[in-house]
Amino acid sequence: MNEKEIISTNINKYMDLQKIIKSDNPKKEAENQIKPVKAILETCGVTLENLELED
């Protein structure tokens, strides 16, 4: 990953976090944003079991 890709990725993360903070329902916004990321990672063979946070 080159410097421009790193910057672009982090700008997108920053924007997503702002959307969550400013949302009327932050939990629902976060859940909606995690769905496509989860799908992409699973498609690439990444196991998410160990990344899930416990309540």
Side-chain angles (χ1 to χ4, degrees):
M1 185 177 277
N2 65 37
E3 184 179 354
K4 288 186 180 192
E5 290 171 324
I6 292 169
I7 291 169
S8 177
T9 298
N10 282 285
I11 287 172
N12 288 333
K13 286 181 188 179
Y14 182 79
M15 291 172 63
D16 289 344
L17 289 168
Q18 284 189 62
K19 289 177 190 175
I20 293 168
I21 290 168
K22 294 185 181 288
S23 174
D24 291 336
N25 187 340
K27 183 176 181 180
K28 184 170 178 75
E29 178 67 27
E31 289 170 349
N32 288 337
Q33 287 189 29
I34 203 168
K35 288 177 185 177
V37 174
K38 190 174 184 178
I40 291 167
L41 290 172
E42 288 175 343
T43 300
C44 293
V46 176
T47 303
L48 300 175
E49 290 175 7
N50 295 330
L51 298 176
E52 295 291 330
L53 300 177
E54 295 180 16
D55 292 329

